[in-house]
């Protein structure tokens, strides 16, 4: 099993960047939850909502391609961007990635 690096940035003021190991086949959501990072996941991480929305700032080529279903949910996320993905669907396949977690304190999920 290959181990890569997940760099997590936060929009929320006062939260420092964190670097964590992420194994091939693991999702950003799983690693965040395993390390006590508060990332909403109202559907339980099954691509059924938009609450685990993140921005992939580096390494988009190192995660699984976006599905039509995921794209539909991202359209409902707060402040979606071209780099938006759902944390539950950001599954690492071959390399390091960096994400930014939107401010979770003002969160309204779908």
């Amino acid at each position: 099993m290959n181990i890569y690096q997940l760099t997590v940035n936060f929009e929320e003021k006062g939260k420092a960047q964190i670097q964590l190991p992420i194994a091939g086949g693991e999702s950003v959501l799983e690693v965040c939850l395993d390390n006590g990072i508060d990332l909403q996941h109202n559907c339980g991480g099954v691509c059924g909502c938009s609450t685990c929305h993140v921005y992939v700032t580096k390494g988009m080529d190192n995660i699984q391609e976006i599905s039509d279903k995921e794209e539909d949910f991202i359209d409902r996320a707060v402040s979606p961007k071209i780099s938006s993905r759902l944390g539950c669907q950001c599954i690492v396949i071959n390399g390091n990635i960096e994400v930014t977690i939107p401010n979770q304190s003002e969160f309204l999920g779908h």
Side-chain angles (χ1 to χ4, degrees):
M1 177 185 336
N2 291 329
I3 304 293
Y4 305 106
Q5 181 172 291
L6 168 62
T7 301
V8 181
N9 299 295
F10 300 90
E11 280 186 353
E12 202 171 329
K13 301 253 182 289
K15 288 198 169 187
Q17 181 184 78
I18 298 174
Q19 294 181 333
L20 300 165
I22 186 167
E26 266 190 312
S27 74
V28 167
L29 177 63
E30 290 171 316
V31 173
C32 285
L33 296 178
D34 288 349
N35 288 278
I37 296 171
D38 188 24
L39 181 55
Q40 300 291 323
H41 54 289
N42 292 355
C43 74
V46 296
C47 197
C49 69
S50 64
T51 57
C52 66
H53 171 234
V54 299
Y55 304 116
V56 178
T57 50
K58 288 184 187 156
M60 190 69 89
D61 292 341
N62 297 333
I63 57 178
Q64 286 183 353
E65 280 191 44
I66 193 166
S67 67
D68 290 341
K69 181 178 179 183
E70 181 183 0
E71 266 188 283
D72 289 344
F73 282 111
I74 285 171
D75 287 343
R76 303 177 205 175
V78 177
S79 302
K81 299 179 184 174
I82 196 78
S83 63
S84 292
R85 292 293 302 265
L86 299 180
C88 67
Q89 300 301 297
C90 280
I91 298 171
V92 170
I93 48 176
N94 63 351
N96 300 334
I97 64 166
E98 183 172 327
V99 301
T100 298
I101 296 178
N103 190 335
Q104 301 282 293
S105 67
E106 303 167 3
F107 207 81
L108 301 169
H110 293 3

